[in-house]
Amino acid sequence: MTDRLYDAAGTTAPIATDGDGFVLHDDDRRAILDERDHYEQPQAACIEALKIVQKRHSWVPDAAIAAIAEALGVGVGAVEGVATFYNLIFRQPVGRHVILVCDSSSCFLTGFEELGEALSQRLGIGFGETTKDNRFTLLPTCCLGACDRGPAMMIGDDTFGPIAPDDLSELLEAYP
Amino acid sequence: MMTSIPSNSRLRYKSQLRQPASERLEHTHPLTWRLNDDGSRVGLDEYRQKNGYVGAQNALEQAPDDIIQAMKTANVRGRGGGGFSAGVKWSLTQVGDNLPRGYMVCNADEMEPGTFKDRLLMEQQPHLLIEGMIISARANRSKYGYIFLRGEYVDAARSLSLAIEEAREAGLLGDDVAGSGFDFDISLHTGAGRYICGEETALINSLEGKRANPRAKPPFPGQSGAWGKPTVVNNVETLCNAPAVLQHGAEWYQELSGNLSNDGGTKLYGVSGLVACPGLWELPIGTTGWDILERAGGMREGHTLKTWLPGGGSTGFLLPEHLELPLDFDTVGQYGSRLGTGLLTVVSQRQSLVALLRNLEQFFARESCGWCTPCRDGLPWAAKILQTLEHGEGRPGDIELLQEHAANIGPGLTFCAHAPGAAMPLESAIRHFRADFAAGIVEEDAKGGSAVADGSDTAAAKEEVS
């Protein structure tokens, strides 16, 4: 990127980005403002901003919404509306490792239900829940595009498949 | 975080083409001939050594209208599933001295159930996509490009970021692309989930940092898209076809499919489900389902084919006899289905079709953006009815109710394509396999009044309609 693309009004965001007690980390604020420069309007950066905050805190608390809105110079409602729409933005605390299990048709046909059940048994939690030791959160997810090796799942940024229930020990142990 | 699952572990997912390099030639496999058998990323030097960016160079020396004409003649049809002519789409982008140059957006939000083709192209050969975007930008006079990539495609994000940097350093992106006087640069935009982002106007809303509700059309993106500017949105595979058209010519490209189809070029076909060897192949468009299924080694031992989806969860179910059809957009469209993404999902005789439909409708219900009532409220209702049928607790009239709902949210009747995508597998499954659904219905007498006593939503909802 050579030039800033956007030229909209209201882009002179204040440097201080307190939002109800939540303070954006300096690096995060810089990263968010840098993202803003990739678009014609600052609001476009709000999804990336939510992901930046989530990367540091593992989820997005309410107070962070106001801080992001302030940093980008957009309304709190606009950021909140986005934060509640996208399933990869977590609005409550999650474990150290988020497990996304593909529950779509190809994985359904190759063993999603058995895999989900085995994971649930092993972790002692259902979908949408976090283990007591805060290690894993278990979530179902939309087709992971790994249908040739279903059933597939992600742990953090890593994609795996096909996963049989017997593989779970080896797999989960790698994520302390 | 570092993990102790090594990158070469059998558990790790790796995108893979089933054809070895020896079977992939420049003149027959324009999308994949450069790929390495070990799946390693084709970097800029290697890509250029293998005639990379020749098509873009040609495009930069041509008038935009000539590029568009070449795409029309080649008959490149939208590989994201819509099948709309890429050349015609490009001709509809508004241009003029008094109009701002707009955006070239690559739809890399691959989330159609059963689809795993764009992932391979982006992970292993990102420069082909960048080259395609330069060609599209030139044809559409776009000022700037975005690759809208789903957030889960972490490996593709790495590969594309590296390639964008390489292309910039080589002067292939930025001011004065390859010395042509044309300016164009690309940013990678990663999403945060939600299937609906793949709908092109929802994608534009998401790109703008909004909820991914589709927009009313008209105006079409080519008239008023991202930030009100003329915007062209193309699928990854569609864009990856453009370099070969511009390098070898439209007639050459059209000839790739020979007598198999009126559509031009090759297609990434694939198959998943209980086949011996699921995977992905580059084949002439118009290849039959039989051919693809044979390449996959047929059904797994002990299984026979009951039915199949030709191109993702939003396409219609076809029968084994339809495997002999050439898989192109027009042909499949004549049989109550769509080619969609061209990646087959097979269902075994030993699997429950009703359970699969329940799974599919739960998917569409969850992924509805919630804007329109028939989709937001109707799809969960359909999923619930299917769930009762799956458990043998269905009520007389359930099948008719599902059919009525599918008919009411069909193509042309809705704000966007999401609900019609949910309707097509449902309608076609009932049409072909009504008995499977009927088997889940208990007679009124046998069940007595218990369904009403349960206060089940299905029963209550049915009363509302009657």
Side-chain angles (χ1 to χ4, degrees):
Chain A
M1 284 298 300
T2 44
D3 298 308
R4 289 162 77 123
L5 272 173
Y6 69 90
D7 53 6
T11 53
T12 50
I15 296 303
T17 53
D18 285 14
D20 203 20
F22 183 93
V23 181
L24 282 177
H25 190 281
D26 284 347
D27 293 349
D28 293 351
R29 187 184 335 108
R30 263 194 297 277
I32 289 168
L33 296 182
D34 184 48
E35 277 300 321
R36 184 187 63 175
D37 295 345
H38 292 177
Y39 305 97
E40 191 169 318
Q41 299 269 349
Q43 186 175 339
C46 76
I47 296 173
E48 194 57 36
L50 288 161
K51 288 163 74 174
I52 289 167
V53 167
Q54 182 164 289
K55 193 162 188 179
R56 182 173 302 279
H57 301 275
S58 84
W59 66 293
V60 180
D62 286 348
I65 301 288
I68 289 169
E70 211 172 348
L72 289 174
V74 301
V76 173
V79 182
E80 173 71 7
V82 163
T84 53
F85 188 90
Y86 296 94
N87 59 294
L88 295 179
I89 302 298
F90 306 132
R91 296 306 309 281
Q92 48 182 302
V94 293
R96 290 195 295 285
H97 310 287
V98 174
I99 302 176
L100 298 174
V101 191
C102 175
D103 67 355
S104 299
S105 46
S106 292
C107 285
F108 180 78
L109 291 167
T110 51
F112 155 73
E113 289 191 321
E114 295 78 2
L115 176 62
E117 183 59 31
L119 270 165
S120 190
Q121 291 262 329
R122 197 172 183 92
L123 299 173
I125 53 172
F127 280 100
E129 296 176 353
T130 299
T131 54
K132 281 206 175 69
D133 61 3
N134 208 32
R135 186 170 158 199
F136 292 111
T137 296
L138 184 61
L139 297 171
T141 200
C142 183
C143 181
L144 285 176
C147 323
D148 51 340
R149 293 175 66 90
M153 58 187 265
M154 291 182 82
I155 306 181
D157 283 349
D158 304 326
T159 305
F160 300 101
I163 299 300
D166 287 349
D167 297 323
L168 288 176
S169 293
E170 181 186 350
L171 200 53
L172 296 177
E173 272 166 23
Y175 297 86
Chain B
M1 180 178 290
M2 294 295 289
T3 76
S4 56
I5 300 285
S7 59
N8 62 356
S9 161
R10 68 182 172 88
L11 300 177
R12 289 249 184 199
Y13 179 81
K14 276 210 179 58
S15 57
Q16 189 189 1
L17 193 76
R18 288 289 179 187
Q19 293 151 312
S22 57
E23 292 177 16
R24 292 181 269 114
L25 306 173
E26 179 173 8
H27 282 272
T28 48
H29 295 73
L31 296 172
T32 61
W33 71 275
R34 298 181 181 92
L35 297 183
N36 296 307
D37 278 343
D38 66 1
S40 60
R41 189 180 78 98
V42 177
L44 180 59
D45 291 342
E46 185 182 354
Y47 186 71
R48 284 184 130 173
Q49 278 159 21
K50 295 177 175 172
N51 297 333
Y53 288 103
V54 173
Q57 196 69 53
N58 291 346
L60 291 167
E61 290 163 8
Q62 288 181 25
D65 287 345
D66 294 339
I67 303 171
I68 292 170
Q69 190 52 53
M71 290 294 280
K72 282 184 183 169
T73 306
N75 202 10
V76 183
R77 299 183 62 174
R79 304 294 204 249
F84 192 74
S85 159
V88 172
K89 190 183 235 186
W90 291 5
S91 72
L92 296 173
T93 303
Q94 299 276 300
V95 292
D97 292 340
N98 298 322
L99 286 171
R101 285 172 60 197
Y103 294 97
M104 195 293 108
V105 180
C106 168
N107 186 343
D109 198 55
E110 180 169 73
M111 255 189 246
E112 179 68 24
T115 303
F116 48 98
K117 62 184 180 69
D118 297 341
R119 173 199 275 273
L120 174 117
L121 292 169
M122 294 187 287
E123 287 178 0
Q124 299 190 21
Q125 193 179 210
H127 283 287
L128 184 66
L129 174 58
I130 293 173
E131 183 177 1
M133 288 181 70
I134 293 171
I135 294 166
S136 177
R138 172 73 177 170
N140 292 283
R141 287 82 155 178
S142 312
K143 171 188 174 189
Y144 202 81
Y146 291 101
I147 301 172
F148 190 108
L149 179 71
R150 65 180 297 189
E152 297 91 336
Y153 276 11
V154 181
D155 293 337
R158 273 191 215 108
S159 171
L160 288 165
S161 296
L162 272 170
I164 290 169
E165 278 308 313
E166 285 175 333
R168 267 191 210 134
E169 279 173 30
L172 294 162
L173 289 174
D175 297 338
D176 191 20
V177 172
S180 64
F182 180 74
D183 301 336
F184 179 68
D185 207 342
I186 295 173
S187 275
L188 179 65
H189 176 104
T190 59
R194 297 306 294 269
Y195 171 76
I196 194 64
C197 293
E199 199 279 346
E200 70 175 3
T201 59
L203 185 148
I204 290 170
N205 269 338
S206 188
L207 181 68
E208 291 184 4
K210 298 170 182 164
R211 293 167 76 90
N213 298 122
R215 294 178 176 179
K217 292 182 274 192
F220 291 90
Q223 301 165 305
S224 175
W227 298 287
K229 309 277 196 310
T231 300
V232 60
V233 183
N234 292 128
N235 164 261
V236 172
E237 189 187 352
T238 310
L239 289 164
C240 285
N241 277 284
V245 174
L246 272 290
Q247 185 187 346
H248 302 293
E251 286 74 19
W252 174 89
Y253 179 89
Q254 168 65 246
E255 200 46 47
L256 284 172
S257 55
N259 297 326
L260 297 176
S261 172
N262 290 328
D263 299 352
T266 59
K267 175 86 193 71
L268 283 180
Y269 286 109
V271 56
S272 66
L274 297 183
V275 289
C277 180
L280 202 56
W281 295 264
E282 180 181 5
L283 301 166
I285 196 159
T287 297
T288 66
W290 270 126
D291 189 328
I292 297 159
L293 196 55
E294 261 178 38
R295 285 168 195 270
M299 297 296 288
R300 269 190 213 174
E301 208 178 323
H303 291 273
T304 49
L305 180 68
K306 178 186 177 83
T307 181
W308 54 291
L309 293 165
S314 65
T315 60
F317 284 94
L318 293 172
L319 300 172
E321 70 203 50
H322 295 129
L323 284 170
E324 64 194 39
L325 298 174
L327 292 179
D328 65 22
F329 290 101
D330 291 339
T331 307
V332 181
Q334 289 163 16
Y335 291 84
S337 185
R338 299 186 304 125
L339 177 61
T341 61
L343 278 83
L344 284 54
T345 308
V346 301
V347 185
S348 159
Q349 288 284 3
R350 287 166 56 186
Q351 296 180 303
S352 164
L353 184 63
V354 177
L356 176 61
L357 259 296
R358 184 262 301 164
N359 171 269
L360 278 167
E361 297 308 317
Q362 281 177 334
F363 168 86
F364 286 109
R366 180 182 73 197
E367 298 300 330
S368 169
C369 82
W371 188 259
C372 310
T373 308
C375 181
R376 181 191 62 242
D377 289 352
L379 295 180
W381 180 10
K384 277 180 190 168
I385 294 174
L386 287 161
Q387 196 157 19
T388 63
L389 291 172
E390 181 187 357
H391 294 113
E393 296 163 356
R395 308 286 296 173
D398 276 353
I399 296 176
E400 291 74 17
L401 195 53
L402 289 171
Q403 286 178 310
E404 185 187 345
H405 188 50
N408 284 336
I409 58 171
L413 300 173
T414 58
F415 192 65
C416 84
H418 184 83
M424 193 174 247
L426 182 59
E427 180 279 323
S428 55
I430 295 174
R431 176 159 40 87
H432 292 310
F433 300 100
R434 192 183 183 97
D436 289 34
F437 294 84
I441 294 175
V442 283
E443 291 305 319
E444 209 97 57
D445 291 343
K447 181 96 180 178
S450 64
V452 177
D454 289 345
S456 85
D457 290 353
T458 309
K462 276 169 64 180
E463 279 176 15
E464 255 171 55
V465 164
S466 57

